[in-house]
Amino acid sequence: MADDKLIASESALLVVLMAEAREVLQTELQEHYGLVVRKPSRDKLVRLRYLSSRKSGRSIALTLEDDGWVRVQKDLDFKARGAAALGAALTALQAALRDRVLARSGCASLAELFALTDVRALTAAPAADDQALRVRVKATYDALAGEPGAWVGLARLRPFLADVPREAVDETLRLLSRETGVNIVPESNQKMLTETDVQAAVHIGGQDKHLLAIGV
């Protein structure tokens, strides 16, 4: 388990945001799940880069971030005094999703399993076929981006291409970077980079680059 000392309610929030796979208002979380998000926990999860938050009307909108998707694939602690049944249920659910459902689904990660757009068919693209892989990377970007030109972190993109050799994906990203309407850039605030971001970067033109936009 990661040494982040998450309490049961914080682990539960990550699982709910995983299942929703979209931006969710805190008012929705309370109405549909009875989940009250306290400011200290929200600030803690934002600080850990597990989720992002923004003001939306009278509520606050929460989204599971790249590191949050990585975190839910590791053990979470749902044990809390007075919540043994909830803890048992969530622990069993997470373990089953990770260890059984994911393996049978044909998806490479929980991020892919819960994506709002099904990209499983894209895994049929042969890694040796440069054009097919280029099409697959673009289609995966489209599935993740909210709109054309939106920035998508390579840390978010790579789990959907886990079956393809890293070198082939990197070379495809380099070829894409030469196309009109495609931008691959470094994170402007290097202090914001996590270990996941660093590992997912592609080296182009003497720089490590972390963000992809298509359709700009």
Side-chain angles (χ1 to χ4, degrees):
M1 180 183 295
D3 188 22
D4 48 21
K5 296 181 173 61
L6 298 185
I7 62 176
S9 60
E10 293 162 353
S11 295
L13 174 58
L14 295 183
V15 170
V16 170
L17 291 176
M18 173 188 72
E20 288 285 351
R22 64 181 178 88
E23 187 176 68
V24 186
L25 296 177
Q26 286 192 180
T27 48
E28 290 183 80
L29 293 171
Q30 185 167 0
E31 179 181 349
H32 296 306
Y33 299 103
L35 188 58
V36 177
V37 182
R38 307 294 182 189
K39 186 177 186 301
S41 286
R42 183 179 69 237
D43 290 347
K44 173 183 173 182
L45 294 171
V46 169
R47 186 173 64 253
L48 290 167
R49 299 291 302 275
Y50 292 164
L51 60 82
S52 61
S53 69
R54 68 176 184 85
K55 185 72 174 174
S56 180
R58 292 187 174 183
S59 187
I60 293 176
L62 305 176
T63 309
L64 197 63
E65 286 284 355
D66 294 340
D67 282 359
W69 282 106
V70 172
R71 183 66 182 88
V72 294
Q73 206 147 317
K74 301 176 183 177
D75 288 338
L76 292 167
D77 186 2
F78 299 108
K79 302 177 185 68
R81 197 172 355 179
L86 172 64
L90 286 174
T91 299
L93 172 63
Q94 193 217 9
L97 284 171
R98 182 188 61 204
D99 300 334
R100 296 204 310 275
V101 177
L102 184 61
R104 297 170 184 168
S105 69
C107 296
S109 67
L110 290 176
E112 185 173 338
L113 181 66
F114 282 95
L116 295 178
T117 302
D118 189 354
V119 297
R120 286 175 300 170
L122 301 175
T123 61
D129 187 331
D130 293 343
Q131 180 58 32
L133 184 53
R134 189 152 55 238
V135 169
R136 178 176 167 187
V137 170
K138 286 184 174 181
T140 303
Y141 168 86
D142 290 340
L144 297 174
E147 59 185 1
W151 292 109
V152 171
L154 296 184
R156 187 81 174 93
L157 185 82
R158 286 196 187 273
F160 293 84
L161 303 163
D163 60 299
V164 181
R166 167 82 182 231
E167 296 78 11
V169 175
D170 284 358
E171 183 58 28
T172 296
L173 289 171
R174 294 186 185 101
L175 292 172
L176 279 174
S177 70
R178 303 171 191 166
E179 295 186 10
T180 302
V182 178
N183 277 345
I184 305 179
V185 302
E187 167 60 57
S188 57
N189 186 353
Q190 296 286 300
K191 292 182 180 179
M192 294 292 290
L193 291 174
T194 66
E195 184 60 29
T196 305
D197 295 321
V198 171
Q199 292 178 358
V202 60
H203 199 71
I204 301 176
Q207 287 184 304
D208 285 336
K209 303 191 176 185
H210 314 91
L211 299 167
L212 168 68
I214 299 177
V216 294

